[in-house]
Amino acid sequence: MRFLLLLAFLVLSAWAQESPASPPPDLPPEVFAIARELRCPVCQGESAAESNSGVAVEMRRIIAEMLQEGRTKEEIKAFFVDRYGEWILYEPPRRGVTLWVWVLPVFGLVLLGLGLFAYFRPKKPLPPELLEEAERRLKEPPA
């Protein structure tokens, strides 16, 4: 009985969670695709597409206007980088110091793979002379 109550509580809690923000019908999905790649300047851990802050709403409006003007995705992102710096991008550019963010995980995985290979590779068998010598010493009575 307790298990069923706990299960019902968990299921109801999951349903009570807020559903992810879906784009409103007045903005095209391209606006949210670009806004997902930009951070909200005032919210922690939310993109400009997810946030409901005034700044994020304004960013989405600016993106929509720039798309209507015919600007490309890169031009729009460059506009926000000029305004807020590279921090505004969720995906750091692959150059300079941020290149290490892209290279170090791959380098770590390669080192881990080499270490696992070295640990689990089959060991060379001992030469028969050493095995016979070891067996002979084990059979001798202790002095």
Side-chain angles (χ1 to χ4, degrees):
M1 185 65 182
R2 288 182 184 171
F3 176 73
L4 290 176
L5 285 175
L6 178 65
L7 184 64
F9 176 74
L10 291 175
V11 169
L12 290 176
S13 298
W15 280 342
Q17 297 294 319
E18 187 175 318
S19 63
S22 59
D26 58 335
L27 291 177
E30 294 87 21
V31 171
F32 282 85
I34 295 171
R36 266 186 226 106
E37 297 179 15
L38 301 172
R39 293 179 197 273
C40 173
V42 294
C43 306
Q44 282 191 336
E46 286 187 316
S47 69
E50 298 166 340
S51 175
N52 288 324
S53 70
V55 175
V57 171
E58 183 66 15
M59 286 174 71
R60 290 193 298 258
R61 188 191 61 75
I62 291 171
I63 293 169
E65 285 180 5
M66 293 175 104
L67 282 175
Q68 286 179 346
E69 293 171 0
R71 294 195 186 178
T72 64
K73 177 181 171 181
E74 284 71 29
E75 290 173 339
I76 295 170
K77 287 169 68 176
F79 170 80
F80 285 105
V81 167
D82 287 343
R83 200 174 246 192
Y84 295 103
E86 288 184 343
W87 168 86
I88 199 78
L89 299 174
Y90 257 117
E91 188 173 305
R94 295 179 179 134
R95 60 180 152 76
V97 175
T98 57
L99 180 65
W100 290 104
V101 173
W102 295 97
V103 172
L104 283 179
V106 173
F107 185 68
L109 285 175
V110 168
L111 282 180
L112 178 67
L114 289 174
L116 288 174
F117 175 75
Y119 183 76
F120 288 112
R121 76 175 176 194
K123 307 291 185 234
K124 289 182 179 178
L126 291 175
E129 303 85 39
L130 287 178
L131 286 175
E132 290 172 5
E133 176 69 21
E135 285 179 12
R136 188 183 58 76
R137 285 186 181 179
L138 285 174
K139 290 180 183 174
E140 287 180 359

